[in-house]
């Protein structure tokens, strides 16, 4: 078998890459370890930057998102007994976010690929990459061989692509946080129209949503927390304690339909490429979720990679591909910093003394009272312009 681009992983990065390449007349095969049902049900991120929304719409896969996605023009920072709105419409006019579940994006992309006759293979075992330091790389899986011009490693943080790069090539940067997030999805109307990021002495909580009937919540918990220690009543009691901190706010509760614990980590591998293997999305970098950047960053990588591959297949030029990592990393590091900053601003760190807590409050007061500081949060949250748009 032969294709132009062999893509490992049918997450947002791999599927969007396959779709954008198809629009440029470039063939690809996507190899995914899990079943279609599994990837379509995997609950993860929910906040799409303006640029992500525009990318999906321009690529013709935004119809359902435009219908069902919830555009938001602000978020609330809740602390010290009061809520403070960060007003995107005033601070970053014309830019907003859309709340639309990652698995809905994945469903839309799979449907588009299959409708166009795309080759997406699920439940593929033992994918391995070979000869990436030549211009005839290939993939093997389940006894088959797929020859490619280029391989895209879109297989997430625990995939096979990054570890296939010879030792000594990559420099890895990592920051582990001393807490995790317990996330739930519940059948209950959201208690707020906008997302609430709540900082309390008991730890951080986030109220998000998916639809007018489904809410999404996160709680800061210990890094080694056992889900079994969190029966429904405890989850709701803790969410209430951390969200009902302003007068007049009551949290509506309902049936919990999904739950999980996510470790909090920042990670970047540089460069995001080796020979004919290019890493995109979580395969190359992850962020703590507080800034809602993970999925959006995957989309930004894929945009750059698509352009570079289009150049390669148009005229054999490798210049843009050679510069792929260099083109992506400034945005990757901006997202690392923003995610670290939001995480530090809102979580309780056991190592913090009273002085550190005062500093945190002071910074929150600044962000919620100064337009200059508020704009820093707003412009990063809705997403900075893509590099192509600024150069
Ligand atoms: P992924 O979505 O991880 O996709 C990689 C794909 O590759 C998967 O389908 C995987 O099954 C497949 N794969 C892996 N190994 C192989 C292999 N060997 N062979 C074939 N296929 C393979 N971000 C937020 O902004 N907010 C959140 O609340 C949030 N929650 C998260 C919760 C969890 C548990 C995780 C892991 C991430 C979360 N993120 C969140 C981050 C966000 O979801 C990711 O940044 C996003 O999924 C990145 O997309 P991706 O396509 O790069 O990787
Ligand atoms: C959601 C996840 C995030 O990490 C975040 O910062 C905001 C919202 C969500 O899943 O809805």
């Amino acid at each position: 078998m032969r294709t132009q681009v062999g893509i490992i992983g049918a997450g947002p990065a791999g599927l969007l890459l396959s779709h954008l390449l198809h629009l440029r007349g470039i063939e690809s095969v996507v190899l995914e370890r899990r079943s279609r049902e599994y990837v379509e049900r995997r609950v993860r991120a929910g906040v799409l930057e303006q640029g992500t929304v525009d990318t999906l719409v321009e690529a013709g896969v935004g119809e359902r998102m435009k219908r069902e996605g919830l555009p938001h023009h602000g978020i609330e920072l809740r602390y010290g007994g009061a809520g403070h709105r960060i007003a995107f419409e005033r601070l970053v006019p014309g830019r907003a976010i859309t709340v639309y579940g990652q698995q809905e994006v994945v469903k839309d992309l799979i449907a588009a690929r299959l409708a166009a006759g795309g080759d997406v293979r699920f439940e593929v075992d033992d994918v391995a990459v070979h000869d990436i330091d030549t211009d005839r790389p290939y993939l093997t899986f389940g006894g088959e061989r797929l020859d490619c011009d280029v391989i895209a490693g879109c297989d997430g943080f625990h995939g096979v692509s990054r570890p296939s790069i010879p030792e000594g090539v990559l420099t890895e940067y990592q920051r582990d946080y001393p807490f995790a997030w317990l996330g739930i999805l519940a059948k209950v109307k959201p208690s707020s129209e906008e997302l609430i990021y709540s900082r309390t002495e008991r730890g951080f909580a986030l109220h998000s949503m998916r639809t007018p009937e489904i809410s999404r919540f996160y709680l800061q918990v210990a890094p080694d927390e056992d889900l079994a220690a969190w029966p429904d009543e405890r989850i709701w009691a803790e969410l209430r304690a951390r969200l009902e901190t302003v007068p007049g706010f009551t949290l509506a509760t309902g049936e919990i339909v999904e739950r999980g614990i996510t470790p909090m980590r920042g990670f970047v591998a540089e460069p995001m490429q080796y020979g004919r293997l290019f890493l995109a999305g979580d395969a190359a970098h992850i962020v703590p979720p507080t800034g809602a950047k993970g999925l959006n960053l995957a989309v930004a990588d894929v945009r750059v990679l698509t352009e570079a591959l289009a150049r390669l297949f148009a005229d054999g030029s490798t210049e843009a591909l050679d510069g792929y990592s260099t083109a992506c990393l400034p945005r990757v590091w901006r997202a690392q910093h923003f995610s670290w900053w939001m995480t530090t601003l809102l979580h309780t760190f056991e190592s913090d003394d009273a002085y550190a807590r005062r500093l945190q409050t002071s910074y929150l007061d600044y962000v919620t009272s100064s337009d200059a500081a508020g704009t820093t949060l707003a412009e990063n949250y809705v997403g900075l312009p893509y590099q192509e748009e600024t150069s």
Side-chain angles (χ1 to χ4, degrees):
M1 268 189 305
R2 153 141 219 103
T3 191
Q4 290 174 292
V5 183
I7 300 175
I8 314 174
L15 290 166
L16 181 63
L17 178 63
S18 179
H19 179 71
L20 295 181
L21 291 175
H22 163 71
L23 297 179
R24 301 296 188 92
I26 300 165
E27 271 177 25
S28 65
V29 175
V30 181
L31 303 177
E32 165 62 47
R33 188 176 51 170
R34 304 283 195 171
S35 67
R36 176 175 178 186
E37 191 180 43
Y38 184 94
V39 299
E40 290 190 343
R41 284 206 184 158
R42 192 165 42 194
V43 180
R44 284 187 175 172
V47 170
L48 308 186
E49 289 178 0
Q50 185 71 56
T52 299
V53 169
D54 296 344
T55 302
L56 296 172
V57 170
E58 282 161 23
V61 284
E63 276 314 306
R64 195 163 66 92
M65 175 187 65
K66 279 198 284 186
R67 262 195 333 269
E68 297 176 16
L70 309 169
H72 283 204
H73 299 274
I75 57 169
E76 181 182 325
L77 299 185
R78 189 171 284 192
Y79 67 97
H84 306 262
R85 183 164 186 267
I86 304 291
F88 302 153
E89 75 275 2
R90 192 167 57 79
L91 298 169
V92 282
R95 294 178 80 79
I97 54 144
T98 295
V99 175
Y100 188 64
Q102 175 169 328
Q103 78 269 34
E104 306 306 324
V105 174
V106 164
K107 277 185 211 162
D108 295 343
L109 286 167
I110 291 175
R113 285 314 293 124
L114 298 182
D119 194 346
V120 184
R121 303 186 188 196
F122 295 97
E123 298 178 74
V124 167
D125 285 329
D126 303 327
V127 176
V129 309
H130 308 271
D131 290 0
I132 45 177
D133 50 357
T134 73
D135 55 11
R136 288 268 163 271
Y138 64 98
L139 291 163
T140 53
F141 56 97
E144 298 197 63
R145 172 177 168 140
L146 177 65
D147 290 294
C148 317
D149 294 306
V150 168
I151 295 174
C154 303
D155 48 351
F157 186 63
H158 300 287
V160 292
S161 311
R162 199 178 62 253
S164 311
I165 295 177
E167 216 168 308
V169 171
L170 299 181
T171 305
E172 299 187 344
Y173 301 87
Q174 182 155 337
R175 166 77 47 103
D176 290 313
Y177 291 86
F179 39 76
W181 274 15
L182 189 164
I184 64 158
L185 201 62
K187 274 193 191 161
V188 57
K189 179 177 153 48
S191 301
S192 161
E193 285 190 5
E194 295 184 334
L195 271 66
I196 304 168
Y197 286 79
S198 182
R199 177 262 213 178
T200 77
E201 293 302 322
R202 306 175 67 94
F204 169 75
L206 171 59
H207 182 350
S208 181
M209 67 255 345
R210 285 294 177 271
T211 70
E213 296 83 36
I214 305 226
S215 302
R216 176 95 170 130
F217 298 96
Y218 297 97
L219 281 170
Q220 174 186 354
V221 295
D224 53 355
E225 194 67 64
D226 181 6
L227 207 48
W230 287 84
D232 294 14
E233 314 75 64
R234 183 176 175 204
I235 292 175
W236 288 120
E238 198 57 39
L239 282 169
R240 267 202 216 99
R242 296 188 197 182
L243 287 165
E244 291 181 346
T245 55
V246 296
F249 179 84
T250 311
L251 184 69
T253 63
E255 184 197 348
I256 299 178
V257 290
E258 202 272 345
R259 67 191 77 209
I261 291 187
T262 308
M264 300 277 278
R265 185 185 292 135
F267 172 88
V268 182
E270 291 187 18
M272 293 164 53
Q273 65 194 84
Y274 174 71
R276 285 283 173 124
L277 173 65
F278 297 85
L279 306 177
D282 278 19
H285 43 69
I286 50 176
V287 283
T290 327
K293 286 283 159 263
L295 165 62
N296 295 296
L297 216 43
V299 170
D301 289 351
V302 163
R303 287 173 58 102
V304 177
L305 189 52
T306 301
E307 289 308 318
L309 289 169
R311 293 271 302 280
L312 174 77
F313 291 113
D315 59 11
S317 148
T318 61
E319 198 190 332
L321 266 183
D322 294 342
Y324 167 68
S325 178
T326 306
C328 291
L329 282 169
R331 189 180 189 86
V332 168
W333 277 106
R334 178 89 296 282
Q336 291 289 332
H337 179 271
F338 178 64
S339 305
W340 163 83
W341 181 73
M342 284 285 279
T343 303
T344 310
L345 196 60
L346 291 160
H347 289 73
T348 308
F349 289 75
E350 260 174 35
S351 57
D352 276 358
D353 55 13
Y355 184 88
R357 287 299 271 177
R358 286 278 204 252
L359 287 183
Q360 201 183 34
T361 307
S362 167
Y363 210 160
L364 281 164
D365 286 344
Y366 182 43
V367 165
T368 53
S369 63
S370 149
D371 276 2
T375 302
T376 293
L377 193 159
E379 71 172 353
N380 280 278
Y381 195 85
V382 300
L384 290 161
Y386 293 119
Q387 195 212 3
E388 317 87 92
E389 293 167 8
T390 53
S391 57

